[in-house]
Amino acid sequence: MARGAGRGGSSGAPRSVDVAQLAGVSQKTVSRVFNNEPYVSADVRRRVLEAAAELGYRLNNAARALASGRTRHIGVVTLGTALYGPASLIMGVERAVRDTGYALRVVNTVEGDPAGIGGAVDSLLDQGVDGIVISEPIDDGQDGVLADRLDVPVLVLGAPPFPAPRALAAGVGADLMAQTATEHLLDLGHQTVHHLAGPQQWYSARDRMEGWRSVLIEKSRAVPPVIEGDWSAASGYAAGRELAAVDDMTAVFAANDDMAIGLVRALTEAGLRVPEDVSVVGFDDIPVAAYVTPPLTTVRQPFDVVAQEGIKRLVHTIENPQADPLPASEPPVDLVVRASTAPPPLQTPRGRGRRTTSRPSGDRHGQSLDGGSSAHD
Amino acid sequence: MARGAGRGGSSGAPRSVDVAQLAGVSQKTVSRVFNNEPYVSADVRRRVLEAAAELGYRLNNAARALASGRTRHIGVVTLGTALYGPASLIMGVERAVRDTGYALRVVNTVEGDPAGIGGAVDSLLDQGVDGIVISEPIDDGQDGVLADRLDVPVLVLGAPPFPAPRALAAGVGADLMAQTATEHLLDLGHQTVHHLAGPQQWYSARDRMEGWRSVLIEKSRAVPPVIEGDWSAASGYAAGRELAAVDDMTAVFAANDDMAIGLVRALTEAGLRVPEDVSVVGFDDIPVAAYVTPPLTTVRQPFDVVAQEGIKRLVHTIENPQADPLPASEPPVDLVVRASTAPPPLQTPRGRGRRTTSRPSGDRHGQSLDGGSSAHD
DNA sequence: TTGAAAGCGCTAACAC
DNA sequence: GTGTTAGCGCTTTCAA
């Protein structure tokens, strides 16, 4: 064949032999230098590097992978949505992966594809990866099937431990964050808190719901029926219309900010003021959360931290197959209190404390400038 | 049968020779089958496929790439933000790439990294890719440097043609969309339209600005000074405080929805009503745009269409190096009219049609305007 | 329509 | 510290 086709212009890209020749060393020595192996004299190393630079040499990864059996690639399975949470997580994963010197291979699960996550994992395995990250998985009932084929370590972000030989889990702090959000509302004096949940196939949606529920139960509060949305503002809006009709509803914890925003709009349109009549807490802290009306109290997810630690543990497992996996740490909880939460209205029956107004609701104090105060600062 | 069958184990995955042996054909024939080459009898093909299935054979991509010089990978350079626009574009790209049978390699440009896009492209080239997608590039002054190293086809999304030997551009309809947004405002009766631009290193920000400007000039309207934001709601908020002080400011076109939302909040806090006093148009149609207060009139970007067509053209160029590149089509313009735009207020000087509120921000221009026109309140 | 031989550019053992 | 010798699993001639 034509030699390293696709690379250099005419006669092919330079190979390590070429570098070796120019530097006056053996090809293996060039390999040593480029793999940072020990036992190379400083002088030789320098000469090799110079020769490589002069030739514009780049290591051929296909050959490297073939010879070593390791691709130095990590594959990530995503849901293929531009939702803030998943997208942020991917960005965090990319950064973390790159820091470790691995390359990232991305595959979306096609919506409505029966193969689902299994299909995506398969295609990753086909391409060849040393490890796999599954981000915010949904439960498509294929856990068992998957486990069989997974002969590489897997990191599952935002889900409980996974039935695979070498599986890690990370970012399972959603329940804790949900608890904090719920407690914040109770601390303000609300009798109980309603929950606008995410789609229940999502582990992260279930986690948040469990966190919410556990607090209510622990504090012996009534547990209102859960309303399930689909993460979208539209579904939050629909939920808001339902909730507006519920008596004594004074606080809602929404499983993400988009739904919270739709919810607030529906409540406002129904004549309920946020936060005077109803308090709302979101989840994610999306960029606009501080600037909607009213600025949204929400829980910020530490995507970067979670991704970074997760990848670090994954790479450790890849490179030390025998060793014990690194332990996971609890991600920090960051409740950002803004203007969408307040004490509940006085004990009058609904329809009463409420003001009629033509203004956009919750046009309140100056907090809006910096977007609110974080529990962590 | 000596090897392979188990595959999970340590002794290695089945190779094409194993399949060949089991099927009773030569290894080359197996290769032919898996590459869909002609000249394989239906019978042999079937036998090979059966043997492969039995062994759980998967083609080794490293070996394939090494031997063929083609990686069947497309690399994408992104900005590493979870901004809705870029994130959506990436998702579209992933989908499109997968449809073509290529794999996706993703690299972010590290923020603040002096190497910028150039560094990201380099690392992609290092990894080995058959083509590169640069999404929403920013101008880091490295065009020239880049061009030298780019020996594979490049698709630039959301930017003008790029100085590289085999470059394609796509999604350059932003100016047209910006024009539509601006015209919408003028059609409503506004004398002119202010512009809250994105960071000017972004080509897409410049495109939108040019679209806006061209309409104003064409219709002989005053061209107000541009305010530059950083895409964030926070910067939109800051811009809003400035704009609230400007006389006769009745319409603003913001270069994205996040900024538009921050802007609306600042205007509202300053006592200006949207859309009664000031109309605002955003850009992107982010998921919450329909649910903020007021629901945002905005321009929807057809990310999927742009990504799909772009990738199709890129792959064509990869696979037909000599042929002319496929032509680009104009993406559709989709103005979504909601409640943030309306005809301008009646012709009274500012300070007058407007309600006084209790907000302190009125202080800023309270003396010169409000004080003098008390008759109106 | 099929097969045999010869690498692709690198890493892995083991010598020196 | 450095070099030698074999492959990794596939695609590519070229021959049959």
Side-chain angles (χ1 to χ4, degrees):
Chain A
M1 64 152 251
R3 296 220 19 205
R7 284 297 182 76
S10 39
S11 61
R15 296 150 309 168
S16 57
V17 241
D18 302 327
V19 176
Q21 199 174 345
L22 186 65
V25 298
S26 80
Q27 185 265 350
K28 173 62 205 174
T29 298
V30 174
S31 170
R32 285 206 176 90
V33 170
F34 275 86
N35 284 292
N36 278 314
E37 284 174 32
Y39 304 126
V40 184
S41 71
D43 180 53
V44 169
R45 164 164 275 124
R46 190 184 46 70
R47 257 167 42 221
V48 168
L49 257 17
E50 274 173 10
E54 185 174 334
L55 259 32
Y57 170 73
R58 8 177 71 116
L59 215 156
N60 179 320
N61 272 280
R64 202 234 276 268
L66 177 57
S68 68
R70 291 184 39 206
T71 62
R72 289 162 177 284
H73 272 241
I74 286 178
V76 54
V77 178
T78 78
L79 261 341
T81 88
L83 287 174
Y84 182 75
S88 301
L89 214 40
I90 299 301
M91 293 306 169
V93 166
E94 193 283 338
R95 219 162 299 153
V97 166
R98 187 132 83 119
D99 286 348
T100 66
Y102 280 69
L104 230 217
R105 221 159 249 177
V106 179
V107 177
N108 286 345
T109 57
V110 185
E111 209 157 348
D113 178 357
I117 294 182
V121 168
D122 242 13
S123 95
L124 241 23
L125 256 19
D126 265 357
Q127 298 293 340
V129 288
D130 295 339
I132 288 181
V133 179
I134 302 180
S135 166
E136 297 270 4
I138 59 173
D139 178 9
D140 61 356
Q142 297 196 323
D143 288 6
V145 186
L146 265 182
D148 286 351
R149 293 177 295 211
L150 276 175
D151 44 11
V152 298
V154 188
L155 169 71
V156 184
L157 252 26
F162 198 72
R166 298 162 74 194
L168 304 167
V172 287
D175 50 347
L176 219 163
M177 298 182 202
Q179 286 172 24
T180 306
T182 309
E183 278 161 2
H184 165 65
L185 258 6
L186 294 184
D187 289 349
L188 284 170
H190 295 271
Q191 284 308 302
T192 188
V193 175
H194 286 248
H195 183 46
L196 171 47
Q200 293 297 297
Q201 314 93 283
W202 291 58
Y203 290 105
S204 51
R206 290 191 227 159
D207 265 9
R208 291 167 207 186
M209 190 178 77
E210 283 319 317
W212 158 80
R213 192 199 305 280
S214 70
V215 167
L216 294 187
I217 287 175
E218 188 204 329
K219 307 222 167 173
S220 309
R221 304 304 175 89
V223 179
V226 170
I227 299 190
E228 184 177 331
D230 65 4
W231 296 132
S232 75
S235 72
Y237 181 82
R241 297 180 70 128
E242 267 184 64
L243 283 170
V246 174
D247 256 1
D248 296 327
M249 190 277 300
T250 67
V252 186
F253 164 48
N256 79 346
D257 287 345
D258 280 24
M259 291 196 297
I261 288 169
L263 172 73
V264 167
R265 172 145 204 94
L267 296 178
T268 305
E269 285 182 4
L272 293 168
R273 294 162 308 167
V274 177
E276 291 84 351
D277 298 320
V278 180
S279 287
V280 174
V281 176
F283 204 97
D284 276 350
D285 195 23
I286 64 175
V288 298
Y291 295 92
V292 293
T293 302
L296 202 61
T297 293
T298 187
V299 185
R300 176 180 300 151
Q301 295 212 69
F303 297 111
D304 267 14
V305 178
V306 169
Q308 206 146 9
E309 181 184 287
I311 296 299
K312 200 169 128 201
R313 291 168 58 220
L314 180 65
V315 169
H316 173 89
T317 304
I318 291 172
E319 299 183 343
N320 308 71
Q322 311 305 348
D324 282 342
L326 258 29
S329 68
E330 280 297 311
V333 176
D334 196 356
L335 177 72
V336 185
V337 179
R338 298 203 181 92
S340 66
T341 49
L346 297 180
Q347 295 283 29
T348 43
R350 172 65 64 68
R352 17 45 203 193
R354 184 206 325 167
R355 167 176 85 130
T356 18
T357 173
S358 60
R359 342 182 20 230
S361 70
D363 184 10
R364 328 166 13 146
H365 29 277
Q367 316 198 354
S368 31
L369 219 198
D370 68 300
S373 60
S374 158
H376 269 283
D377 301 338
Chain B
M1 110 153 229
R3 336 186 11 168
R7 99 171 308 280
S10 44
S11 60
R15 298 151 308 170
S16 58
V17 246
D18 301 326
V19 176
Q21 201 174 344
L22 186 66
V25 298
S26 80
Q27 185 265 352
K28 171 64 206 174
T29 299
V30 175
S31 169
R32 284 207 178 89
V33 170
F34 275 85
N35 285 291
N36 278 314
E37 284 174 31
Y39 304 126
V40 184
S41 71
D43 180 53
V44 168
R45 164 164 275 125
R46 190 186 44 70
R47 261 171 35 225
V48 168
L49 257 17
E50 274 172 9
E54 185 175 334
L55 260 31
Y57 170 72
R58 1 179 80 111
L59 214 154
N60 179 321
N61 272 281
R64 203 237 272 269
L66 177 57
S68 69
R70 290 188 40 206
T71 62
R72 290 163 180 282
H73 272 242
I74 287 177
V76 54
V77 177
T78 78
L79 262 339
T81 89
L83 286 175
Y84 182 74
S88 301
L89 214 39
I90 300 300
M91 294 305 170
V93 166
E94 193 284 338
R95 219 162 299 153
V97 166
R98 189 133 83 118
D99 287 348
T100 65
Y102 280 70
L104 231 216
R105 221 160 247 176
V106 180
V107 177
N108 286 344
T109 56
V110 185
E111 209 157 348
D113 179 356
I117 295 182
V121 167
D122 242 13
S123 96
L124 241 23
L125 256 18
D126 266 357
Q127 297 291 342
V129 289
D130 295 340
I132 288 182
V133 180
I134 302 179
S135 166
E136 296 270 5
I138 58 173
D139 178 7
D140 60 356
Q142 297 194 325
D143 287 7
V145 186
L146 264 181
D148 285 352
R149 293 178 296 212
L150 276 174
D151 44 12
V152 299
V154 187
L155 169 70
V156 184
L157 252 25
F162 200 71
R166 297 162 74 195
L168 304 167
V172 288
D175 50 346
L176 219 163
M177 298 183 203
Q179 286 172 24
T180 307
T182 308
E183 277 162 2
H184 165 65
L185 258 6
L186 295 183
D187 288 350
L188 283 170
H190 296 271
Q191 283 310 300
T192 189
V193 176
H194 287 248
H195 182 46
L196 170 47
Q200 292 297 297
Q201 313 93 281
W202 290 58
Y203 290 103
S204 51
R206 291 191 226 160
D207 264 8
R208 290 166 208 188
M209 189 178 78
E210 283 320 317
W212 159 80
R213 192 198 305 279
S214 70
V215 168
L216 293 188
I217 288 174
E218 188 205 328
K219 306 220 169 177
S220 309
R221 305 303 175 91
V223 180
V226 170
I227 298 190
E228 184 177 331
D230 65 5
W231 296 131
S232 75
S235 71
Y237 182 83
R241 297 180 70 130
E242 267 183 64
L243 284 170
V246 174
D247 257 0
D248 296 326
M249 191 278 300
T250 66
V252 186
F253 163 49
N256 80 344
D257 287 346
D258 281 24
M259 292 197 295
I261 288 169
L263 172 73
V264 167
R265 171 144 203 94
L267 295 178
T268 305
E269 286 182 3
L272 292 169
R273 295 162 307 168
V274 177
E276 292 84 352
D277 297 319
V278 180
S279 287
V280 174
V281 177
F283 204 98
D284 276 351
D285 196 23
I286 64 175
V288 298
Y291 296 92
V292 293
T293 303
L296 202 61
T297 293
T298 186
V299 185
R300 177 180 299 149
Q301 295 211 69
F303 298 111
D304 267 13
V305 178
V306 169
Q308 204 145 10
E309 181 182 290
I311 296 299
K312 200 169 127 201
R313 292 168 58 220
L314 180 65
V315 169
H316 173 89
T317 303
I318 290 171
E319 298 182 344
N320 308 72
Q322 312 306 347
D324 283 341
L326 259 28
S329 68
E330 279 297 312
V333 175
D334 196 356
L335 178 73
V336 184
V337 179
R338 298 204 180 92
S340 66
T341 49
L346 297 181
Q347 295 284 29
T348 45
R350 172 66 63 71
R352 18 41 205 192
R354 173 184 8 140
R355 283 179 327 167
T356 9
T357 73
S358 58
R359 313 212 77 274
S361 45
D363 292 351
R364 203 173 345 114
H365 48 276
Q367 299 211 329
S368 50
L369 287 176
D370 291 350
S373 56
S374 52
H376 287 280
D377 289 328

